[in-house]
Amino acid sequence: MSALLTLEPLTREAFAPYGDVIEVSGEPDKLINQGMCGRFHDLAKLDFGSGQAGISLFDAQARHFPYTLDMMERHPEGSQAFIPLSGVPMIISVAKDNSGKPGLPRAFLSKPHQSINIHRNTWHGVLAPVERAGQYIVIDRIGDTPNLEEYYFQDSYIVNV
Amino acid sequence: MSALLTLEPLTREAFAPYGDVIEVSGEPDKLINQGMCGRFHDLAKLDFGSGQAGISLFDAQARHFPYTLDMMERHPEGSQAFIPLSGVPMIISVAKDNSGKPGLPRAFLSKPHQSINIHRNTWHGVLAPVERAGQYIVIDRIGDTPNLEEYYFQDSYIVNV
């Protein structure tokens, strides 16, 4: 039997326990380039453990509704940011830890130009572009030691609009 | 009198002396997420000196042709990556160092989904979105010590299509 997850809009406040939402909000922290550019400064809590920051590119196939969440993963050694290059929204599933496995997940739907940064060691679903394939720049930890833990649910969750 | 710079297409090879072009190219380094996602791994040479990596957002006004390049800057303490969120191409001016000031600049025009990483201490022009305003995610050095050197040309350069 599958439990249903209600999709929530992605806001900084709602997502705060799991990570950062990176978007234009309010006035810039600083005007640069002779006033031609606003800088919104240092919007994500990055942490790469014993490794270092790297920039990679994910080219991901489309996911569709109803979406089945049957697995979550976490990265004990680092945060992971996703930046949409093609304006394709993401289904973002996250959960707090419950004795070494994911607690009840929450599912968020991003807007086209919202980027996210998932905090180190936070349970999350895989990259899930909505209805279209999408390319995403990923900022995560580059290192030689293991950095992936997976948990498969006995009963999967269904995410629907 | 202003010298004219010929705009060049942005390719990995041509840009290599100044930085990295981050784009899908060939086969992914790894298939992840049960084959649903290709990972192009660790595409940029990041260096944040005595500081650390941060994610910021630049909201920049449009620049137009003919474009006047009257100043270049460099960041002695770190690399700086620009990721287009709105698919707006950039005019990317770069130069090798010539005894503490920029040598003859070269100007590149990016494609909508090309991101770049300018290497540490490399002379470059300011963020210049072409003909439309654009938002860009910026990965650069967060730190407390100075990280900006500017050079104003006596005779500016003109970049045209």
Side-chain angles (χ1 to χ4, degrees):
Chain A
M1 205 177 71
S2 296
L4 200 69
L5 295 181
T6 307
L7 207 52
E8 303 177 50
L10 182 66
T11 65
R12 284 188 181 191
E13 295 69 25
F15 198 64
Y18 314 100
D20 311 290
V21 176
I22 302 161
E23 62 184 340
V24 162
S25 170
E27 293 299 308
D29 296 296
K30 196 176 175 184
L31 277 177
I32 59 174
N33 303 347
Q34 293 83 42
M36 294 283 280
C37 182
R39 180 175 177 128
F40 297 81
H41 186 69
D42 199 12
L43 303 177
K45 187 182 165 197
L46 303 183
D47 180 351
F48 305 107
S50 61
Q52 55 186 16
I55 300 180
S56 297
L57 201 161
F58 282 18
D59 190 13
Q61 293 179 40
R63 308 287 179 142
H64 302 278
F65 293 113
Y67 174 70
T68 301
L69 177 69
D70 54 4
M71 190 272 282
M72 295 186 95
E73 61 184 40
R74 61 178 176 176
H75 307 295
E77 280 289 314
S79 54
Q80 191 172 42
F82 294 89
I83 300 161
L85 277 183
S86 341
V88 180
M90 305 170 264
I91 304 166
I92 303 156
S93 309
V94 284
K96 293 189 181 170
D97 184 66
N98 183 5
S99 306
K101 59 184 189 178
L104 181 67
R106 291 171 70 181
F108 295 92
L109 179 63
S110 70
K111 295 194 196 81
H113 299 309
Q114 283 180 318
S115 303
I116 58 161
N117 177 57
I118 296 169
H119 289 160
R120 180 176 174 173
N121 214 26
T122 297
W123 290 108
H124 61 279
V126 298
L127 176 57
V130 175
E131 305 292 346
R132 284 190 292 145
Q135 292 183 3
Y136 301 80
I137 294 287
V138 173
I139 314 298
D140 65 1
R141 182 246 193 194
I142 306 293
D144 292 330
T145 52
N147 188 28
L148 174 64
E149 193 177 339
E150 292 179 320
Y151 184 86
Y152 285 84
F153 294 112
Q154 194 161 7
D155 296 312
S156 56
Y157 293 90
I158 301 295
V159 180
N160 215 340
V161 278
Chain B
M1 205 177 69
S2 297
L4 200 69
L5 294 181
T6 307
L7 206 53
E8 304 176 50
L10 182 67
T11 65
R12 284 188 182 192
E13 295 68 26
F15 198 64
Y18 314 100
D20 311 291
V21 176
I22 303 160
E23 63 184 338
V24 162
S25 170
E27 292 300 308
D29 297 295
K30 196 175 175 185
L31 278 177
I32 59 173
N33 303 346
Q34 292 83 44
M36 295 284 279
C37 183
R39 179 175 177 127
F40 297 79
H41 185 69
D42 199 12
L43 303 177
K45 187 182 166 200
L46 303 183
D47 180 350
F48 305 108
S50 61
Q52 55 186 18
I55 299 180
S56 298
L57 200 161
F58 283 17
D59 191 13
Q61 293 178 40
R63 308 289 179 140
H64 303 278
F65 293 111
Y67 174 70
T68 301
L69 178 68
D70 54 5
M71 189 272 284
M72 296 186 95
E73 61 184 40
R74 61 178 176 177
H75 307 294
E77 280 289 313
S79 54
Q80 191 173 42
F82 294 88
I83 299 162
L85 276 183
S86 341
V88 180
M90 304 170 265
I91 304 165
I92 302 156
S93 309
V94 284
K96 292 189 181 169
D97 183 67
N98 183 4
S99 306
K101 59 184 188 179
L104 181 67
R106 291 172 69 182
F108 295 91
L109 179 64
S110 70
K111 295 195 197 79
H113 298 308
Q114 283 180 318
S115 303
I116 57 161
N117 178 57
I118 296 168
H119 290 160
R120 180 176 174 174
N121 213 27
T122 297
W123 291 107
H124 61 278
V126 299
L127 176 58
V130 176
E131 306 292 346
R132 285 191 292 146
Q135 291 183 5
Y136 301 81
I137 293 288
V138 173
I139 315 296
D140 65 0
R141 183 245 192 193
I142 307 293
D144 292 331
T145 51
N147 188 27
L148 175 64
E149 193 177 341
E150 292 178 320
Y151 185 86
Y152 285 83
F153 294 112
Q154 195 161 5
D155 295 312
S156 55
Y157 294 90
I158 301 296
V159 181
N160 214 340
V161 278

